[in-house]
Amino acid sequence: GDVGVLALVPAVLLPSQAPLPRMNGAESNDGGADWSFAPKLLQSACRCASKEHLMAAEPLALEALEALLVASPQGEVEVLLRNFRDTFEPVLEGGSGGGALDAHAARGAARCWAAAAGALLRRGGFAAAAEVLLKVLLAALERDGAPVAPFVPVAFQVMMPPRFDGGEGSALAKLPPLALQQLSLTVLPTLVGAAKHRAAAGGGGIRGASDRAALESAVTLLCALPAEVLCADCPEELRWCALTGLKCLKEDSVDAVFCVQVLQLVVRAAQRKSAWLEDDLSSVVPPLLGACATHPVPLVRLGCLQVLQLLIEESQGHMLPFKKQIEISTRKAVEDRKREVRLIAVACLNAWHCGLTADRD
């Protein structure tokens, strides 16, 4: 019942933004529409997003939640937000009723919270309310042992869905450019600061899902920015997050989406000839060589080879100290079981040998 209703909510509320008809003869201040159903529908969406046995319905629940907050009249939004905060704020602040919080409930709470913040940013006029919601997620990253902290990255992915189809932008058109710019100015510094704190506490490395959460969230936000904005306005954040993220490629427990997004950042930096890449080749090349032939996820192997090819084409002279390792790793990748990986491995190896031949000539 709940799932079937939630599946219809975005189609009903968003296409025309037309006032809803009166229900049961009730009156309201929104052109005669009655929104008394909205709190119950909100609770239904939150329930479906937070229960393990309803996990398959989570995307529908999040879309319904966003549609409700985008389409509701302004006065109704305040009512819905109070209802929403009463439901999830205790969970996000550490537990529910003093009891232990299961992982799925924590994940659902974080993703619903981010969906609400994203919806408010999309509709406009609620930037302050969205900022309050985001601060709760950021505060969870700073608390040791917060049950929702490991799920903050997947919460940010609700607002800025990862995209790996080669498009210029890495996020689907969920947030308008102005909202992304605001997040880069207000949220990104906090995320990077929290990630640096975790790295310093770990002796320069970041291990464990909770410790990586701030870094992964920052990478998601950086990937959502247009490439020209990313490289021009956030060069230091880009450099630090990319170099720190590359260190995680060798860890089996690291989420593949995070690995690919880190590689996206390096690809964009290489395409725009960012100077720091050449300065940091000793930190960039070894992780790529280690993962391009051995990482279990084909898209990560492909991304590593794509970065290597760009670096070879622009900075081969500086990569000569890695000559032996490059040739060994790319030859292994040429025999990859995935055709797409084999093709770019061949292109990478050809670029390497053509560059060596040109240098001799």
Side-chain angles (χ1 to χ4, degrees):
D2 281 356
V3 175
V5 171
L6 292 175
L8 297 174
V9 171
V12 171
L13 295 183
L14 292 182
S16 64
Q17 301 289 318
L20 296 182
R22 291 185 180 91
M23 299 175 66
N24 299 324
E27 297 287 336
S28 83
N29 295 325
D30 183 45
D34 176 20
W35 283 81
S36 62
F37 68 93
K40 292 183 179 179
L41 195 56
L42 179 77
Q43 287 297 317
S44 178
C46 294
R47 183 167 56 251
C48 286
S50 304
K51 301 297 182 183
E52 186 172 3
H53 69 282
L54 295 173
M55 187 172 182
E58 185 197 49
L60 296 176
L62 294 175
E63 288 182 16
L65 171 60
E66 292 171 348
L68 267 176
L69 290 173
V70 169
S72 296
Q74 183 165 346
E76 193 66 33
V77 172
E78 301 292 347
V79 176
L80 291 175
L81 286 177
R82 284 197 298 271
N83 190 310
F84 184 74
R85 286 192 292 265
D86 290 343
T87 300
F88 283 127
E89 204 158 29
V91 176
L92 289 164
E93 289 181 349
S96 179
L101 187 65
D102 71 84
H104 195 82
R107 182 182 188 275
R111 283 170 66 82
C112 285
W113 202 261
L120 296 177
L121 290 171
R122 283 169 60 192
R123 71 170 287 159
F126 286 88
E131 184 178 358
V132 170
L133 296 181
L134 290 171
K135 283 182 177 178
V136 174
L137 290 177
L138 297 176
L141 292 174
E142 297 176 354
R143 290 198 308 272
D144 291 333
V148 300
F151 305 106
V152 173
V154 292
F156 272 83
Q157 289 170 15
V158 173
M159 291 192 295
M160 298 162 283
R163 179 176 166 188
F164 305 130
D165 62 359
E168 176 66 15
S170 179
L172 303 178
K174 266 197 167 185
L175 295 183
L178 182 58
L180 287 173
Q181 183 182 19
Q182 290 172 341
L183 292 178
S184 72
L185 295 173
T186 58
V187 174
L188 183 61
T190 302
L191 290 174
V192 174
K196 288 183 176 180
H197 175 75
R198 294 287 183 177
I206 300 180
R207 292 180 175 84
S210 294
D211 288 343
R212 283 195 307 271
L215 174 62
E216 292 182 14
S217 302
V219 166
T220 293
L221 176 49
L222 287 169
C223 282
L225 298 173
E228 61 274 11
V229 174
L230 170 69
C231 294
D233 296 348
C234 308
E236 290 304 316
E237 294 88 348
L238 167 60
R239 176 182 176 274
W240 188 86
C241 288
L243 292 177
T244 307
L246 286 172
K247 296 177 184 178
C248 301
L249 290 181
K250 61 184 179 182
E251 298 180 23
D252 295 336
S253 62
V254 176
D255 180 57
V257 171
F258 168 64
C259 293
V260 178
Q261 288 196 309
V262 169
L263 294 169
Q264 281 185 326
L265 295 180
V266 184
V267 164
R268 292 175 190 176
Q271 288 172 337
R272 280 154 183 80
K273 301 177 174 57
S274 297
W276 63 265
L277 273 177
E278 199 166 273
D279 296 336
D280 291 301
L281 285 177
S282 61
S283 298
V284 174
V285 175
L288 298 174
L289 294 176
C292 71
T294 62
H295 199 280
V297 178
L299 192 57
V300 175
R301 301 197 298 273
L302 189 148
C304 289
L305 290 164
Q306 185 180 4
V307 175
L308 282 171
Q309 183 179 0
L310 289 168
L311 293 176
I312 288 169
E313 291 170 353
E314 292 297 328
S315 307
Q316 184 169 19
H318 294 85
M319 295 178 68
L320 289 177
F322 307 102
K323 179 177 182 294
K324 183 177 180 180
Q325 299 97 306
I326 289 173
E327 293 179 354
I328 292 173
S329 296
T330 51
R331 285 197 177 102
K332 287 182 180 177
V334 166
E335 300 175 357
D336 197 278
R337 62 185 180 276
K338 292 291 185 179
R339 179 175 180 272
E340 295 82 0
V341 178
R342 294 198 301 270
L343 289 175
I344 195 166
V346 169
C348 189
L349 193 58
N350 286 343
W352 177 254
H353 286 304
C354 288
L356 292 179
T357 301
D359 287 342
R360 284 197 296 267
D361 293 344

